[in-house]
Amino acid sequence: MKKTLYVSDLDGTLLNSGGVLSDYSRHAIEAFFDKGVFFTCATGRTLSSVNMLLEGVKFSCPAILSDGLFIFDMIADKPVKTLRLHDDLIRAVERELERCGQEGFLYCLKGTEYGLFYKTASDDLSQHFIESKRPFLGEKIFKTVSFSELPEEYVPLYFVIYHDYHTLSLLQNAITGEEGAHCLLNRDVYSAQPDIYFMNILSDQTSKSSAIDFLRDYLGVNEVVAFGDNFNDLPMLMNADRCYVPENGIEEAKAIATEVIPSCDADAVVRFIEKDLLNR
């Protein structure tokens, strides 16, 4: 019998437009777990953020976090795979941020707990970013003199820059040339301003696409079905055997979809999986 892994993005896909997991989706995920259905998420969010959003709901397969930098087994409560940001790239990004006069944030990992480091947060967007992360990170948000001089118990994972699309695209062009760098741009789907984006700077060995390849081998599945709505989902969607995009997704994602499904406000992901399981 075909073993299928279902992998869904969170924001704008599995979560509704308010950034919440609906009761219907919550119960469906619990039923998938009970039935042994291979289902998990692939998100740019951190472990603490995912745990808070899901409120105790756990995926039956390791979750792909931080756009593939961190693969975590929520049942065993332990990391399966972690990719760190190399010191040379940290110094290169820090120099470029200083040259451009931009502010950045560096996510790090201590055991299974995230910490967020920043040098300055002088503009409104940076302050908003910090406050939006405080419910998930609490007091683990630290000001530092240099991203290259962090406490040694913290493993650096990735940078986040939060700004308008034009500013970030210029910065992306500058940093993409750095050895080992991989930049991901994504629109902030919760911002009232349509041109506000996140840019994640990660190791070039990292993506949701490479993470599903890892899980394909790790779980021994022979089919991957992916769901996503945004730019950072595109490689994963293209790498999956089948891919589905909610109608609220970006046009670039819809163009490569096996099928466009109803919006994230209609519990489209879990309803699709329920029907798909009946047809197997």
Side-chain angles (χ1 to χ4, degrees), residues 184-216:
L184 287 172
L185 268 174
N186 278 292
R187 185 173 66 85
D188 182 357
V189 298
Y190 303 119
S191 175
Q193 299 175 248
D195 66 333
I196 301 301
Y197 279 66
F198 297 96
M199 184 170 75
N200 290 359
I201 305 171
L202 319 93
S203 162
D204 62 0
Q205 300 176 35
T206 305
S207 70
K208 290 184 179 183
S209 177
S210 60
I212 64 171
D213 280 339
F214 174 84
L215 286 183
R216 194 190 295 265

Side-chain angles (χ1 to χ4, degrees), residues 81-96:
K81 183 180 181 182
T82 304
L83 288 172
R84 62 164 288 152
L85 207 59
H86 293 300
D87 294 340
D88 288 346
L89 183 54
I90 292 173
R91 288 189 286 269
V93 171
E94 188 167 24
R95 286 195 301 269
E96 194 60 37

